[in-house]
Amino acid sequence: CGVVDVDTDSDGVADCLDNCVALANPSQADCDLNGIGNACESGDGARDIDADGVPDKCQLGAVIYYCTPGTTTNGCTATISAIGAANASASSGFVVSIAASEGGQQGLIFYGIHGPKFSTYGGGFLCVKAPVWRTPNQAATGTSGACDGSLTIDLLDFFATHPGALGNPLAAGEMFNVQGWFRDPPAPKTVGLSDALQFTLAP
């Protein structure tokens, strides 16, 4: 640093030492240790779905819910959820479920590794950027005409038993976007879609 230190963003850290000169970041937080502060990385196109100022890739093990479920012909709004830990070193224990889908209809859970998407499709929204990978089709559950259908899969078990699947081999920091798809014959495109989630693998 020079005799007169410049502090462009007035955060108390001189530009010559600041890892994010354009935006105030007095803590100098750099979650991925790449030399670029979280404040600049999030503001420079790094994915931050939950808008918390921390790049999603740094939130190891985090599950973030996003997007909007479609409404089916019977008024169902299918919702996605996850339980367990998303650990790259585990072979099971991270279960993703879809609840309140069209009863009596088959479906599946699909995912991608290239980020979220927000585009209309039939009566809902596609929330996962292509290319996507489909997990196995699941048999119909619930009662036809009711909103009691469901889909469930342990994604870590799926990855362990499908070594050629998109995203393998798993690594800490890798991000996945996941959504549910199910039949809704009277609907546009004859399908329904849940909302979506994103998870970042922990070690």
Side-chain angles (χ1 to χ4, degrees):
C1 292
V3 176
V4 179
D5 297 333
V6 177
D7 182 8
T8 301
D9 55 13
S10 301
D11 61 1
V13 181
D15 289 359
C16 57
L17 300 173
D18 199 335
N19 63 13
C20 178
V21 175
L23 297 171
N25 61 332
S27 71
Q28 295 292 286
D30 178 13
C31 61
D32 55 4
L33 303 177
N34 67 352
I36 303 172
N38 292 350
C40 270
E41 197 158 32
S42 295
D44 194 31
R47 196 184 313 169
D48 184 15
I49 289 182
D50 55 0
D52 64 354
V54 180
D56 293 346
K57 65 182 177 180
C58 296
Q59 297 179 288
L60 302 186
V63 177
I64 301 169
Y65 297 93
Y66 70 98
C67 209
T68 303
T71 301
T72 70
T73 52
N74 287 302
C76 309
T77 52
T79 56
I80 194 168
S81 63
I83 59 171
N87 296 332
S89 57
S91 58
S92 65
F94 184 68
V95 178
V96 173
S97 300
I98 310 296
S101 63
E102 281 282 333
Q105 300 294 333
Q106 295 183 335
L108 56 82
I109 292 171
F110 65 96
Y111 70 90
I113 60 173
H114 296 287
K117 179 178 181 177
F118 303 90
S119 65
T120 57
Y121 183 85
F125 297 90
L126 278 174
C127 308
V128 180
K129 189 176 293 185
V132 300
W133 192 282
R134 296 181 177 185
T135 65
N137 192 55
Q138 299 186 29
T141 62
T143 305
S144 181
C147 299
D148 58 358
S150 63
L151 305 166
T152 302
I153 191 169
D154 186 327
L155 279 178
L156 293 180
D157 176 73
F158 172 78
F159 290 129
T161 55
H162 296 77
L166 182 67
N168 268 328
L170 302 182
E174 189 172 9
M175 291 183 287
F176 292 82
N177 296 80
V178 189
Q179 188 172 16
W181 175 100
F182 52 90
R183 291 290 181 191
D184 182 11
K189 306 288 187 181
T190 71
V191 301
L193 293 163
S194 71
D195 55 348
L197 65 80
Q198 175 181 279
F199 67 92
T200 306
L201 285 172

